[in-house]
Amino acid sequence: MREITIGKNDAGQRLDRFVSKSLPLLPPALLQKYIRIKRIKVNGGRAQRDQRLQVGDVLQLYINDEFFDKPCEENMFLTLFKPSLDIVYEDENIMLLNKRPGLVVHADESEKVNTLINHIQAYLYQKREWNPRWENAFTPALCNRIDRNTGGLVIAAKNAETLRIVNEKIRDREIDKRYLCITLGAPKPPKGKIECFLLKDEKKKQVSVYHRPVSGAKTALTLYRTLETRDELSLLEVELQTGRTHQIRASFADLGCPLLGDGKYGSGEKNRKYGETRQALYSYKLTFDFPTDAGILNYLKGKTFEVENVPFRDKYFS
């Protein structure tokens, strides 16, 4: 419990507005709840959210210490009163989340609060499975990431050992990830392999495709098979042998079959025709192959998880 004595500069303010300014990490809905259940009192008694504070009033705040911290990127999860997650699988070590298109996985220059990792941390904090103030507390972390406008499966680790193992398995390609995408046009052949070199332009946040080694470019290898073609649209399943920035989007655009809805590498005219503003790309299936020992995660060996409802597939190929 912490106490705050009201001075002359703070007198006359409503209780809820004063507390909101004093504790910016405390979500407004939680603030109102704490007043209602008497975890915020004035002079030892029940308080009203709209009561005016007087000089000398003493506020008793029965609120977790972390809400008194100064806001920073690491504690912004506290401001999410109702975390929103589509949980495909969860146990004591790992979480598999179906990230919706449009949501960023980590904070960037355009979004600091509404990120996938903040929703995960808020969820585990509110379940009392994790608290950043616990001694030697591991901060829940993502093992893989996908673009803002790409949807699909993301792996989150609840402890350091899980993070180490999953990162190792991803690096050694012992976790099989499959994507669905819709291309404009039908790739030829209908099943094949795309080999190229990708050079990233950090300023433009875009990659260029080359068919010979270029200084700074990285090898990209993409496997695909066409599942169905309807008119000018084709539904593909894609497997990445390398994990490069914008690999699928840039590779198929270079092939002459850009992804539907892709504003960076695709066709603006076709995207407007179909009314699509996000690339039709989804990380829809994940299999834990684990041909080698996986330690505390051995129980996941051979398990496959799949997102059944992929919006663009249901829309164009149902």
Side-chain angles (χ1 to χ4, degrees):
M1 189 271 288
R2 297 196 187 189
E3 290 189 342
I4 299 176
T5 301
I6 302 301
K8 63 180 181 179
N9 291 329
D10 297 318
Q13 296 187 59
R14 282 174 49 135
L15 171 64
D16 55 357
R17 292 175 183 168
F18 171 78
V19 176
S20 179
K21 287 190 293 184
S22 301
L23 281 70
L25 291 175
L26 187 64
L30 191 57
L31 188 159
Q32 302 296 339
K33 177 181 178 180
Y34 283 174
I35 293 174
R36 189 172 64 252
I37 65 175
K38 296 190 291 186
R39 289 184 63 172
I40 297 177
K41 298 180 180 181
V42 176
N43 300 322
R46 177 183 289 276
Q48 300 298 322
R49 64 187 181 89
D50 59 349
Q51 76 179 73
R52 300 289 173 173
L53 298 172
Q54 306 297 319
V55 175
D57 281 346
V58 178
L59 274 58
Q60 289 87 25
L61 305 174
Y62 297 85
I63 297 173
N64 290 2
D65 288 341
E66 47 267 30
F67 287 108
F68 291 88
D69 290 342
K70 183 178 179 180
C72 64
E73 190 171 307
E74 286 71 29
N75 60 22
M76 291 308 293
F77 71 90
L78 290 168
T79 65
L80 295 172
F81 180 58
K82 291 185 177 181
S84 177
L85 293 172
D86 183 354
I87 301 173
V88 176
Y89 175 80
E90 180 182 7
D91 61 33
E92 68 274 14
N93 297 313
I94 202 168
M95 296 178 70
L96 300 183
L97 297 313
N98 178 20
K99 185 193 84 70
R100 60 174 174 79
L103 180 68
V104 294
V105 293
H106 290 115
D108 61 14
E109 61 277 3
S110 65
E111 182 58 65
K112 303 299 182 186
V113 178
N114 187 33
T115 67
L116 179 63
I117 190 61
N118 278 346
H119 281 276
I120 291 169
Q121 291 176 358
Y123 167 78
L124 294 174
Y125 172 82
Q126 292 176 21
K127 283 181 67 181
R128 299 183 181 179
E129 283 192 27
W130 169 73
N131 189 310
R133 287 179 172 267
W134 290 343
E135 185 177 1
N136 300 320
F138 169 81
T139 301
L142 298 178
C143 305
N144 65 311
R145 58 185 300 163
I146 50 181
D147 294 341
R148 176 196 289 267
N149 289 327
T150 300
L153 293 169
V154 178
I155 308 170
K158 291 186 177 183
N159 53 63
E161 182 66 2
T162 294
L163 182 63
R164 183 192 67 78
I165 292 172
V166 174
N167 283 343
E168 180 181 278
K169 297 303 183 184
I170 291 175
R171 183 194 67 210
D172 295 341
R173 296 206 294 271
E174 294 186 21
I175 296 179
D176 184 293
K177 293 184 289 182
R178 302 295 173 98
Y179 293 78
L180 287 179
C181 68
I182 292 179
T183 60
L184 292 161
K188 295 179 181 179
K191 179 180 180 180
K193 175 169 60 176
I194 304 173
E195 295 181 84
C196 60
F197 299 89
L198 299 181
L199 180 63
K200 185 177 181 181
D201 186 321
E202 293 290 351
K203 290 184 179 180
K204 294 182 179 179
K205 297 187 183 300
Q206 190 167 341
V207 300
S208 299
V209 179
Y210 295 88
H211 297 280
R212 55 180 174 77
V214 173
S215 177
K218 296 181 178 180
T219 304
L221 178 58
T222 308
L223 306 180
Y224 70 90
R225 64 187 181 102
T226 304
L227 303 177
E228 188 176 353
T229 297
R230 294 187 184 181
D231 298 323
E232 64 180 335
L233 301 182
S234 295
L235 179 68
L236 277 61
E237 183 185 64
V238 178
E239 178 185 358
L240 296 180
Q241 294 293 292
T242 55
R244 310 303 184 199
T245 300
H246 298 174
Q247 178 173 328
I248 295 174
R249 299 164 63 189
S251 295
F252 281 102
D254 181 71
L255 198 65
C257 298
L259 269 57
L260 175 66
D262 193 338
K264 192 176 291 263
Y265 302 98
S267 167
E269 178 185 355
K270 296 292 186 180
N271 294 341
R272 288 189 293 273
K273 171 186 173 181
Y274 288 96
E276 299 294 346
T277 58
R278 294 182 176 131
Q279 62 264 16
L281 179 62
Y282 219 93
S283 175
Y284 87 111
K285 185 162 65 174
L286 186 152
T287 300
F288 293 98
D289 282 341
F290 293 169
T292 62
D293 181 65
I296 63 171
L297 299 182
N298 269 325
Y299 61 89
L300 290 173
K301 183 177 181 178
K303 292 187 180 296
T304 295
F305 300 90
E306 183 173 337
V307 176
E308 294 185 0
N309 300 314
V310 177
F312 58 78
R313 178 182 61 184
D314 298 342
K315 180 178 180 179
Y316 295 103
F317 291 91
S318 59

